[in-house]
Amino acid sequence: MFADRAKIYIRSGKGGDGHVSFRRELFVAAGGPDGGDGGKGGDVIFEVDEGLNTLYDFRHRGKFCAQDGEEGKKKRCHGANGADIVLKVPEGTIIKEAESNRVIADMSGENRRKVILKGGKGGLGNMHYATATMQVPKYAQPGKPGKELWVNLELKVIADVGLVGFPNVGKSTLLSRVSNARPKIANYHFTTLTPNLGVVDLDGGRGFVIADIPGLIEGASEGVGLGHEFLRHIERTKVLIHMVDAASTEGRDPIDDIKKINQELLAYNEEIARRPQVIAANKIDAIYDDGSGESPIDKLKAEFEPQGIRVFPISAVSGKGLKELLYYVRELLDQVPEETVVFEQEYFPDEFDINMDLPYTVQKSEEEEHTYIVEGPKIEKMLGYTNLDSEKGFTFFQKFLKESGILDELEAAGIEEGDTVRMYGLQFDYYK
């Protein structure tokens, strides 16, 4: 089954927490801190797999998480890093942030492997926080959390030439005749639901890849039918072949058909509508001479060749005129830059990183009743630049305690009005 869209949840690994421990050795009465650092969380990585041509695997599983880093260990041992998760996708897959639909990465061209979400950094163990004033730190830094994101995956076919036209004009027949593709051919409206790719071989190794873009209908640019699903496959093509039923076997006007398709392309993306075009006037062996003197081919040439769009009369069934058409398409491709169309990054997950604060601990004193001790480099740093003797400084101090969550933690620990709080030589009574 072909699938060219999927929505999935991805999450990188959380960094392991730093460890709190102290040396306990024979003949060492009070060993210093030796808690190790936490391991880094795993990354979420997307990688191009040449053997894939569909996003079908992502339809059955919608959640992908990298492994968390391990907590640090005693004796200064570092926790193990979490394993990365590598998601294999076909070339041409675009990864977009689901809510804004902005591009995170386009897995095309030279972009074969991309880290989309980085794992959280491991926290520092308590061995890093020993100072002259705090030689037995009982806190460690928590690991940074992993990042999480809902993303849309879209597969945009990579082909040099896009074959466009209304249903039943013979696109699948042409593709099967000029390339190695074997599309299913049937006579019903909205025939092809899957973009079929084929390689056209020309003399001297000057071949190209052609894609039979599913049949367009009026209103496709507004999402009518499966319009947007199909139109996006044209975005990477360099040259467009408009295929029309020159014999009007179903009563359609070929000139009107081309104009309508160009209107849909213009409404969807102006840049696509400006790309080189050529008209393949198919079913010439079924053209009926009505005696008017001007054939449908002459009418097409009179309408479009003054605009610089060549018209080639062909028969996809018998092969008549195909050689001339294909070699002209090759000439157009030679005039277009070789680079694959790669969509620029618009959304940067790293910009939404969470800033982790330095750690602190809130605990009840084991030696003194109704006394709580608050410690940590965050507190020590704040007290170093705050003048608590001034009204302004003390107001800042109170605001800091509230916004950092210290007051909430004191209350969670069971503090009551009148109890004592100690912070690095500072002591005050707690009142709400």
Side-chain angles (χ1 to χ4, degrees), residues 50-343:
E50 304 289 352
L52 294 176
N53 59 5
T54 172
L55 297 172
Y56 181 69
D57 290 344
F58 295 98
R59 293 290 184 93
H60 297 288
R61 181 184 169 196
K63 187 175 182 181
F64 300 87
C65 301
Q67 190 178 36
D68 294 339
E70 282 189 1
E71 182 184 350
K73 306 180 189 310
K74 57 186 178 181
K75 297 184 179 179
R76 298 176 174 257
C77 291
H78 196 288
N81 293 337
D84 300 334
I85 184 169
V86 180
L87 305 181
K88 301 292 184 72
V89 294
E91 185 177 6
T93 300
I94 294 183
I95 305 160
K96 295 183 177 181
E97 193 274 325
E99 187 173 346
S100 65
N101 214 35
R102 289 185 292 168
V103 175
I104 300 174
D106 182 353
M107 306 304 292
S108 308
E110 296 180 358
N111 296 339
R112 317 307 290 178
R113 183 180 172 93
K114 178 84 172 178
V115 177
I116 301 299
L117 295 182
K118 294 180 180 178
K121 186 179 178 182
L124 299 177
N126 71 332
M127 64 179 180
H128 294 277
Y129 295 111
T131 65
T133 56
M134 174 51 63
Q135 297 182 9
V136 285
K138 298 176 182 177
Y139 46 79
Q141 187 181 35
K144 281 192 175 183
K147 301 186 184 74
E148 58 181 2
L149 207 58
W150 280 94
V151 296
N152 291 326
L153 305 182
E154 296 182 3
L155 178 57
K156 294 178 187 280
V157 169
I158 295 181
D160 301 306
V161 178
L163 188 57
V164 298
F166 279 86
N168 295 338
V169 295
K171 299 196 308 297
S172 296
T173 303
L174 174 66
L175 187 70
S176 66
R177 185 168 189 96
V178 302
S179 76
N180 58 357
R182 292 295 175 263
K184 293 180 180 179
I185 300 171
N187 185 30
Y188 53 91
H189 292 277
F190 241 109
T191 44
T192 307
L193 296 180
T194 299
N196 289 298
L197 287 178
V199 177
V200 177
D201 292 320
L202 298 179
D203 296 339
R206 300 175 66 243
F208 52 84
V209 179
I210 185 170
D212 167 17
I213 307 299
L216 297 177
I217 59 172
E218 291 176 68
S221 60
E222 300 170 4
V224 174
L226 297 179
H228 282 166
E229 307 293 314
F230 296 159
L231 280 166
R232 72 166 175 273
H233 290 301
I234 306 175
E235 293 188 32
R236 296 193 196 273
T237 57
K238 302 179 180 72
V239 172
L240 295 178
I241 299 177
H242 279 277
M243 195 160 184
V244 292
D245 177 2
S248 302
T249 57
E250 294 193 352
R252 302 188 63 89
D253 179 359
I255 293 177
D256 186 55
D257 280 359
I258 294 172
K259 289 182 176 180
K260 284 178 178 175
I261 287 178
N262 275 332
Q263 287 171 1
E264 296 300 331
L265 295 177
L266 189 63
Y268 180 72
N269 187 321
E270 290 185 21
E271 195 275 327
I272 295 174
R274 291 195 295 268
R275 291 178 190 169
Q277 299 181 6
V278 59
I279 295 171
N282 192 29
K283 303 185 182 181
I284 57 172
D285 42 6
I287 292 178
Y288 172 71
D289 185 0
D290 60 4
S292 63
E294 188 177 21
S295 72
I297 303 300
D298 293 335
K299 292 178 182 178
L300 283 165
K301 288 184 175 182
E303 179 70 31
F304 294 105
E305 291 201 339
Q307 303 175 31
I309 303 175
R310 289 279 303 274
V311 177
F312 287 85
I314 66 165
S315 170
V317 174
S318 69
K320 186 176 181 180
L322 294 184
K323 184 177 180 180
E324 292 82 358
L325 169 68
L326 297 176
Y327 275 92
Y328 177 72
V329 168
R330 179 68 262 178
E331 289 178 22
L332 291 179
L333 287 172
D334 289 341
Q335 300 169 19
V336 178
E338 283 291 324
E339 299 86 23
T340 300
V341 176
V342 178
F343 296 89

